[in-house]
Amino acid sequence: MRLTCMFSFILLFGAAGLVVFIHLQDPEEIVHQQTPGIKYNKEFQQPKKDCISSNNQDRRLSTADGVATVKLSGSLHPPENVPSKFQSTDRRQSSTTFMKDYQEKGEETNSMRLHKRRRRFVIKKSPILISMNSSTPNLPTLKSDDGNNKWKSLYQIQSKRKQIMKETCSKYKSNNRRIITPYHVSRIFVEDKYRVLYCEVPKAGCSNWKRVLMVLNGLASSTKDIQHNTVHYGNYLKRLDGFDRKGIYHRLNTYTKMLFIREPFEKLVSAFRDKFEHPNNYYHPVFGKAIISRYRVNATKEALRTGSGVKFKEFIQYLLDVHRPVGMDIHWDHVNRLCSPCLIDYDFVGKFESMEEDANFFLHLIGAPQNLTFPKFKDRHSNEERTTTKITQQYFAQLSPSQRQRSYDFYYMDYLMFNYSKPFEDLY
């Protein structure tokens, strides 16, 4: 009797253990028993992607379409740390797409591990390619009735600028495929009527270019009617990162892409004068206080409290410090980072130094109304002289030769890519 009870107990214990084992078994081990296409709550693991984080972005990315992969003529080094919002979105989209394809093909897998290996293979070996248009054939061509030799000369200048940019990218940047993320197009403004994409480079005529885009879009009848705050804070212009992947793909392939750049040191001095030599309720407390606290010996309590009165030499110390007390800003970041010219094949590259000529030539190429010309007025501090080469040299004369050299090294790729001469003879 005792032996029978013991035997029954062992059987019951074994059965209970088997039930518990089956209940706790990982779904990955039994997925092959399920109908193809059934999804579990457990998400697939997404391979890490090279994305970039923006220390200098003053706005959050706001698209729900994850990332797209492009084939490049030459490429920037991949960015890092795209916000998790895009990573999670990409995981959901990749998972959904795979399961849909899995259902359509009717393929059966033996385990989730094989499932994952196949998915990883698809991502690495068969990326979604956005075939970017080539600058040379896609730049709007001169019409047959354009007998103006000036237009032909400017057209040749454009070809030469783009060739130099292409050669620099080929020489110094990786030619491997890169992933284009919403970050890379977050500074690009869209004008759909004339099919224009404009990459904003601060202190290189960006305010007036936004005015032109607003007039082209029918939002205003004249550039003179648009105030500074309306340009920058009115949100009348769309950014490319606000579109889904299909919208980004379409515009990158069919619109005329352009950017305007400026001599790097001159652009830097212009930004310093604008942000630190005039009252500013953002740059003084955010950047000024941190710079003065770190680099000024015996700083007064008033300077530490307000952040006003930053000196150019202190500003350069901050810029060159690899352990900056506060991050970068778009006004003094590299054009190389802002517009990704080795990743996005721009059709038109204008220069601030020849702004009127280049801008009006671009408007001619896209067929803009003949009465629309690029505005000449100074957007801010209109009574103050524009930052010129002479003024730039006066500011950099405050620095030591070593600081000037390191500043040149900091902007070296911009100097090289856009064919600017060395600003000082003692630089190497």
Side-chain angles (χ1 to χ4, degrees), residues 127-157:
I128 301 173
L129 297 178
I130 295 181
S131 180
M132 307 284 280
N133 59 305
S134 172
S135 292
T136 305
N138 209 59
L139 180 65
T141 55
L142 292 173
K143 299 176 183 178
S144 58
D145 58 350
D146 279 329
N148 192 334
N149 289 329
K150 181 181 179 181
W151 291 147
K152 294 179 180 178
S153 174
L154 291 173
Y155 201 90
Q156 292 172 354
I157 290 173

Side-chain angles (χ1 to χ4, degrees), residues 25 142 154 217 249 262 304 374:
Q25 192 174 10
L142 292 173
L154 291 173
N217 203 39
Y249 170 92
R262 187 176 185 178
L304 292 171
F374 192 81

Side-chain angles (χ1 to χ4, degrees), residues 174-208:
S174 170
N175 288 324
N176 295 331
R177 295 184 223 181
R178 296 297 184 208
I179 296 171
I180 191 167
T181 70
Y183 167 82
H184 293 110
V185 298
S186 64
R187 303 234 62 84
I188 295 181
F189 288 88
V190 179
E191 200 293 297
D192 286 315
K193 186 176 180 180
Y194 287 86
R195 304 166 71 85
V196 172
L197 298 181
Y198 164 63
C199 184
E200 174 191 33
V201 177
K203 314 311 298 179
C206 67
S207 297
N208 281 337

